[in-house]
PDB file of all heavy atoms in Angstrom:
ATOM      1  N   TYR Z 112      -2.538   2.127  -5.375  1.00 92.00           N
ATOM      2  CA  TYR Z 112      -1.622   3.209  -5.744  1.00 92.00           C
ATOM      3  C   TYR Z 112      -0.787   3.759  -4.594  1.00 92.00           C
ATOM      4  O   TYR Z 112      -0.108   4.771  -4.760  1.00 92.00           O
ATOM      5  CB  TYR Z 112      -2.402   4.346  -6.422  1.00 92.00           C
ATOM      6  CG  TYR Z 112      -3.096   3.900  -7.687  1.00 92.00           C
ATOM      7  CD1 TYR Z 112      -4.471   4.029  -7.832  1.00 92.00           C
ATOM      8  CD2 TYR Z 112      -2.375   3.332  -8.730  1.00 92.00           C
ATOM      9  CE1 TYR Z 112      -5.114   3.612  -8.987  1.00 92.00           C
ATOM     10  CE2 TYR Z 112      -3.009   2.905  -9.888  1.00 92.00           C
ATOM     11  CZ  TYR Z 112      -4.372   3.049 -10.010  1.00 92.00           C
ATOM     12  OH  TYR Z 112      -5.003   2.631 -11.155  1.00 92.00           O
ATOM     13  N   TRP Z 157      -2.105  10.346  -0.666  1.00 98.00           N
ATOM     14  CA  TRP Z 157      -1.846  10.181  -2.098  1.00 98.00           C
ATOM     15  C   TRP Z 157      -3.141  10.404  -2.868  1.00 98.00           C
ATOM     16  O   TRP Z 157      -4.235  10.206  -2.349  1.00 98.00           O
ATOM     17  CB  TRP Z 157      -1.203   8.829  -2.412  1.00 98.00           C
ATOM     18  CG  TRP Z 157      -1.976   7.573  -2.139  1.00 98.00           C
ATOM     19  CD1 TRP Z 157      -2.563   6.757  -3.058  1.00 98.00           C
ATOM     20  CD2 TRP Z 157      -2.198   6.926  -0.865  1.00 98.00           C
ATOM     21  NE1 TRP Z 157      -3.150   5.667  -2.447  1.00 98.00           N
ATOM     22  CE2 TRP Z 157      -2.946   5.745  -1.102  1.00 98.00           C
ATOM     23  CE3 TRP Z 157      -1.856   7.238   0.462  1.00 98.00           C
ATOM     24  CZ2 TRP Z 157      -3.342   4.881  -0.085  1.00 98.00           C
ATOM     25  CZ3 TRP Z 157      -2.269   6.373   1.485  1.00 98.00           C
ATOM     26  CH2 TRP Z 157      -2.987   5.220   1.200  1.00 98.00           C
ATOM     27  N   TYR Z 165      -2.716   8.696 -11.145  1.00 95.00           N
ATOM     28  CA  TYR Z 165      -1.702   8.734 -10.089  1.00 95.00           C
ATOM     29  C   TYR Z 165      -0.333   8.794 -10.759  1.00 95.00           C
ATOM     30  O   TYR Z 165      -0.179   8.350 -11.917  1.00 95.00           O
ATOM     31  CB  TYR Z 165      -1.789   7.467  -9.227  1.00 95.00           C
ATOM     32  CG  TYR Z 165      -3.013   7.456  -8.330  1.00 95.00           C
ATOM     33  CD1 TYR Z 165      -4.252   7.070  -8.812  1.00 95.00           C
ATOM     34  CD2 TYR Z 165      -2.927   7.858  -7.001  1.00 95.00           C
ATOM     35  CE1 TYR Z 165      -5.381   7.075  -8.003  1.00 95.00           C
ATOM     36  CE2 TYR Z 165      -4.040   7.862  -6.180  1.00 95.00           C
ATOM     37  CZ  TYR Z 165      -5.259   7.476  -6.687  1.00 95.00           C
ATOM     38  OH  TYR Z 165      -6.360   7.493  -5.871  1.00 95.00           O
ATOM     39  N   TYR Z 198     -11.771   9.224 -11.378  1.00 97.00           N
ATOM     40  CA  TYR Z 198     -11.000   8.473 -12.382  1.00 97.00           C
ATOM     41  C   TYR Z 198     -11.562   7.072 -12.533  1.00 97.00           C
ATOM     42  O   TYR Z 198     -12.308   6.593 -11.681  1.00 97.00           O
ATOM     43  CB  TYR Z 198      -9.508   8.416 -11.995  1.00 97.00           C
ATOM     44  CG  TYR Z 198      -9.225   7.687 -10.700  1.00 97.00           C
ATOM     45  CD1 TYR Z 198      -9.089   6.313 -10.674  1.00 97.00           C
ATOM     46  CD2 TYR Z 198      -9.102   8.376  -9.507  1.00 97.00           C
ATOM     47  CE1 TYR Z 198      -8.838   5.635  -9.485  1.00 97.00           C
ATOM     48  CE2 TYR Z 198      -8.854   7.725  -8.321  1.00 97.00           C
ATOM     49  CZ  TYR Z 198      -8.727   6.349  -8.317  1.00 97.00           C
ATOM     50  OH  TYR Z 198      -8.504   5.685  -7.148  1.00 97.00           O
ATOM     51  N   ARG Z 219     -14.486   5.901 -10.209  1.00 98.00           N
ATOM     52  CA  ARG Z 219     -14.470   6.151  -8.765  1.00 98.00           C
ATOM     53  C   ARG Z 219     -14.666   7.651  -8.549  1.00 98.00           C
ATOM     54  O   ARG Z 219     -14.093   8.470  -9.282  1.00 98.00           O
ATOM     55  CB  ARG Z 219     -13.110   5.793  -8.140  1.00 98.00           C
ATOM     56  CG  ARG Z 219     -12.754   4.317  -8.176  1.00 98.00           C
ATOM     57  CD  ARG Z 219     -12.006   3.939  -6.910  1.00 98.00           C
ATOM     58  NE  ARG Z 219     -12.883   4.109  -5.758  1.00 98.00           N
ATOM     59  CZ  ARG Z 219     -12.488   4.327  -4.512  1.00 98.00           C
ATOM     60  NH1 ARG Z 219     -11.204   4.426  -4.242  1.00 98.00           N
ATOM     61  NH2 ARG Z 219     -13.356   4.472  -3.525  1.00 98.00           N
ATOM     62  N   HIS Z 222     -11.294  11.568  -4.702  1.00 98.00           N
ATOM     63  CA  HIS Z 222     -10.973  11.308  -3.285  1.00 98.00           C
ATOM     64  C   HIS Z 222      -9.495  11.542  -3.023  1.00 98.00           C
ATOM     65  O   HIS Z 222      -8.676  11.501  -3.943  1.00 98.00           O
ATOM     66  CB  HIS Z 222     -11.352   9.869  -2.902  1.00 98.00           C
ATOM     67  CG  HIS Z 222     -10.686   8.845  -3.768  1.00 98.00           C
ATOM     68  ND1 HIS Z 222     -11.241   8.385  -4.947  1.00 98.00           N
ATOM     69  CD2 HIS Z 222      -9.484   8.206  -3.663  1.00 98.00           C
ATOM     70  CE1 HIS Z 222     -10.432   7.504  -5.510  1.00 98.00           C
ATOM     71  NE2 HIS Z 222      -9.348   7.387  -4.757  1.00 98.00           N
ATOM     72  N   HIS Z 224      -6.531   9.984  -0.527  1.00 98.00           N
ATOM     73  CA  HIS Z 224      -6.229   8.839   0.353  1.00 98.00           C
ATOM     74  C   HIS Z 224      -5.426   9.271   1.583  1.00 98.00           C
ATOM     75  O   HIS Z 224      -4.514  10.108   1.466  1.00 98.00           O
ATOM     76  CB  HIS Z 224      -5.355   7.821  -0.383  1.00 98.00           C
ATOM     77  CG  HIS Z 224      -6.042   7.067  -1.466  1.00 98.00           C
ATOM     78  ND1 HIS Z 224      -6.560   5.809  -1.285  1.00 98.00           N
ATOM     79  CD2 HIS Z 224      -6.284   7.379  -2.757  1.00 98.00           C
ATOM     80  CE1 HIS Z 224      -7.083   5.375  -2.426  1.00 98.00           C
ATOM     81  NE2 HIS Z 224      -6.926   6.316  -3.337  1.00 98.00           N
ATOM     82  N   HIS Z 238     -10.128   7.259   2.856  1.00 96.00           N
ATOM     83  CA  HIS Z 238     -10.017   8.459   2.034  1.00 96.00           C
ATOM     84  C   HIS Z 238     -11.196   9.374   2.278  1.00 96.00           C
ATOM     85  O   HIS Z 238     -12.223   8.948   2.806  1.00 96.00           O
ATOM     86  CB  HIS Z 238      -9.837   8.240   0.532  1.00 96.00           C
ATOM     87  CG  HIS Z 238     -10.295   6.991  -0.117  1.00 96.00           C
ATOM     88  ND1 HIS Z 238      -9.668   5.790   0.050  1.00 96.00           N
ATOM     89  CD2 HIS Z 238     -11.282   6.752  -1.005  1.00 96.00           C
ATOM     90  CE1 HIS Z 238     -10.254   4.879  -0.709  1.00 96.00           C
ATOM     91  NE2 HIS Z 238     -11.255   5.433  -1.352  1.00 96.00           N
TER      92      HIS Z 238
HETATM   93 FE1   FE E 324      -7.692   6.254  -5.325  1.00 57.76          FE
END
Side-chain angles (χ1 to χ4, degrees):
Y112 299 122
W157 64 106
Y165 288 82
Y198 63 84
R219 294 216 64 205
H222 57 271
H224 289 262
H238 24 288

